[in-house]
Amino acid sequence: MICEMEKRCYVQTGFWTPESLMQELGIKQSVEEVNRAACRLCREVAEEKGLLFTASLTATPVFEKGGSRQEVVDSYRQQLKPIVEERVDFIMCEWLFDIREMELAIGAARETGLPVVACMTIGPLGDRCGVSPEQCALRMARAGADVVGTNCAVGPRVCLQTLHRMRLALQREGLQPFLIGQPIGLRTPDDGRTMIGRPYWPLACEPVTITRFEANLFAREAYEEGIRYIGGCCHFRSYHIRQVRWRYHKAMAEELAKERGGRKPEAASRLGCWGGGLDRFSEPEVQSRVGRQHWAHVAPDLHTLGDQSPAQHFADWKSALKRSVSVDY
């Protein structure tokens, strides 16, 4: 949501929390007041649509600054009190990079008696201390999470690789939490490096943003892998979420409509999710671009995209014009 708000110029990149929470900017409302208002707005929409809604626990400055276990747990309890009073349906522990902090967040969330979803912000390299995805999954499950998995950090392909390892580890130990996958909406390297380590992140990610059809294919692969909570994190936009929308205990997507008993998301296209409707386009060349066969196999136009930096791309545009067209300057 914050990435979407940033693209629309409501917030600034870098804070990663809307400025309405930043006391140093002179905002008078407390964090609790803002969180309560957010919960009420979410509940209003959820009740209207017959959906569930949640609130998140994320990484805390208390842990980052070396606070004790009790101080971290107390910080989480303080965050939990107002959101529980606002009747959220479950607690989401996410954007956590250290399994030790995740275990504390899960412990605090379990005290509410609500279902707990735990998403480590990791890829195949594990958490920031090198704890493997397998061990992170086992520790989240043993801490009491009802749903375990990953969010953000790595793209859909690498997210699947990470969750596959988690699933096998859980099976070996006889643990059976549900699995969740919420990747970042970008292509990230197969070597497991996260988006944070890429020089283009966070302000020049457009060239590596996934297409809606990559979101389709991710939803299909995730479902076949046994993942039943399928969503997206940073850089996923509304047209992606329509493709991979998820709901409690059931994967929700146009791509997975058959598995959902024929039900589609409210915003689903009546003409289909693989370019349905293009056969009515005015240009014959475009009319043929309907269906999975085209959109699942079309490759990026590397001749157009190239591998130049923005400065290189614009440095010689006049020279290129002279080479291609005779122009009298």
Side-chain angles (χ1 to χ4, degrees), residues 24 33 44-45 51 56 79 92 104 121 159 203 227-228 232 317 322 324 326:
E24 58 265 36
E33 288 175 313
E44 179 181 337
V45 175
L51 304 175
S56 296
Q79 295 178 55
M92 177 82 80
L104 297 177
T121 308
C159 171
L203 296 177
I227 301 162
R228 291 297 180 266
W317 68 271
K322 289 179 181 179
S324 61
S326 177

Side-chain angles (χ1 to χ4, degrees), residues 186-189 194-195 197-208:
L186 307 174
R187 290 190 179 191
T188 55
T194 70
M195 79 292 187
R198 310 310 298 148
Y200 50 74
W201 188 84
L203 296 177
C205 296
E206 287 82 359
V208 293

Side-chain angles (χ1 to χ4, degrees), residues 61-186:
V62 179
F63 182 85
E64 296 289 337
K65 295 177 180 178
S68 68
R69 292 175 60 90
Q70 190 60 53
E71 288 172 332
V72 175
V73 171
D74 287 345
S75 174
Y76 281 132
R77 286 171 176 161
Q78 182 180 6
Q79 295 178 55
L80 283 164
K81 184 178 183 297
I83 63 178
V84 170
E85 289 175 352
E86 296 297 334
R87 308 197 311 276
V88 298
D89 293 301
F90 62 98
I91 304 298
M92 177 82 80
C93 303
E94 62 181 354
W95 195 249
L96 287 149
F97 306 84
D98 190 309
I99 187 60
R100 297 171 298 175
E101 186 175 17
M102 172 61 86
E103 289 170 323
L104 297 177
I106 294 171
R110 289 279 296 174
E111 294 176 359
T112 67
L114 295 170
V116 178
V117 179
C119 291
M120 286 291 292
T121 308
I122 60 172
L125 299 180
D127 80 351
R128 61 174 44 160
C129 295
V131 178
S132 70
E134 290 87 344
Q135 285 300 312
C136 286
L138 294 175
R139 290 172 65 169
M140 285 188 285
R142 287 168 178 159
D146 300 289
V147 184
V148 304
T150 69
N151 82 295
C152 214
V154 295
R157 174 183 164 91
V158 185
C159 171
L160 289 168
Q161 296 168 351
T162 308
L163 287 169
H164 178 73
R165 290 170 54 181
M166 286 184 162
R167 180 178 65 80
L168 293 180
L170 291 164
Q171 286 182 349
R172 285 194 295 267
E173 296 298 318
L175 298 171
Q176 298 181 318
F178 290 97
L179 290 174
I180 183 170
Q182 298 187 108
I184 194 170
L186 307 174

